[in-house]
Amino acid sequence: MVIILDSSALFSMENLPEEDCVCPPGVIAELRKYEDRRLDLWGDLLRVSDCSEESLEKVKEEARKSGDLGRLSPVDLTVIALGLDLGGTVLSDDYSIENVCSKLGIGYKPVGTKGIKKVEKWNYQCIGCKKWFKEKMPECPICGSPMKAHRRH
Ligand SMILES: [Zn+2]
């Protein structure tokens, strides 16, 4: 099985799934920007692949229709487009990514079987892209906006 991972999936995982793990270049750039040490550990296991322009256009079109376009970063769009290109399963905890995947018939699943437990620990939210993180960071590793602490149930 081919698994396409977004940044939120990579940030919340302790270990890579034992599958063919693929990321668009933008996800690697986000990890690199945050100097995430997982990139050192996993760099060789992650396959980096560009999505096709055709799929990217399809994804944008679908996201526009479903109203998710404004909630998806350019990198998110390439994650979904890769799912379309590779016929893989997208691993993400982002609702908008899941929604667009479902509209396009792309397989998706939340991060890990302990997904709910993990989400409880995500107490910091980016005020820009609204993604959740479990640790406080000086700035959002995805879009660079400030983070805000939340008590999340
Ligand atoms: Zn952000």
Side-chain angles (χ1 to χ4, degrees):
M1 182 160 61
V2 180
I3 305 257
I4 299 97
L5 301 114
D6 79 346
S7 305
S8 72
L10 283 168
F11 275 118
S12 63
M13 279 193 305
E14 308 294 331
N15 287 298
L16 273 186
E18 287 178 22
E19 315 276 356
D20 184 9
C21 295
V22 189
C23 291
V27 165
I28 301 294
E30 284 168 353
L31 286 179
R32 196 162 282 149
K33 187 180 159 205
Y34 182 53
E35 294 177 0
D36 194 288
R37 56 181 289 272
R38 273 168 283 213
L39 200 56
D40 300 331
L41 293 170
W42 297 348
D44 294 341
L45 301 171
L46 284 170
R47 188 150 65 88
V48 182
S49 178
D50 276 308
C51 63
S52 67
E53 279 299 318
E54 197 192 344
S55 292
L56 190 57
E57 283 311 312
K58 250 185 231 170
V59 169
K60 276 187 202 164
E61 180 61 35
E62 196 57 51
R64 197 175 293 120
K65 275 194 259 171
S66 68
D68 289 300
L69 193 57
R71 286 190 290 272
L72 293 166
S73 72
V75 175
D76 291 339
L77 295 170
T78 64
V79 169
I80 305 168
L82 260 188
L84 203 55
D85 283 335
L86 303 173
T89 298
V90 172
L91 201 59
S92 171
D93 279 331
D94 186 298
Y95 174 75
S96 291
I97 290 181
E98 291 173 0
N99 192 43
V100 175
C101 282
S102 111
K103 302 253 181 219
L104 287 166
I106 302 166
Y108 62 91
K109 60 178 185 181
V111 180
T113 47
K114 288 179 266 175
I116 290 165
K117 252 186 193 165
K118 296 227 182 258
V119 169
E120 283 170 3
K121 288 195 266 172
W122 289 23
N123 295 323
Y124 299 93
Q125 189 184 27
C126 167
I127 65 164
C129 67
K130 310 287 182 208
K131 290 202 172 153
W132 289 89
F133 299 91
K134 53 183 171 180
E135 293 156 36
K136 177 106 170 89
M137 294 180 233
E139 61 176 32
C140 173
I142 293 170
C143 73
S145 302
M147 312 276 283
K148 195 173 166 221
H150 281 268
R151 189 177 296 273
R152 197 184 196 204
H153 300 286

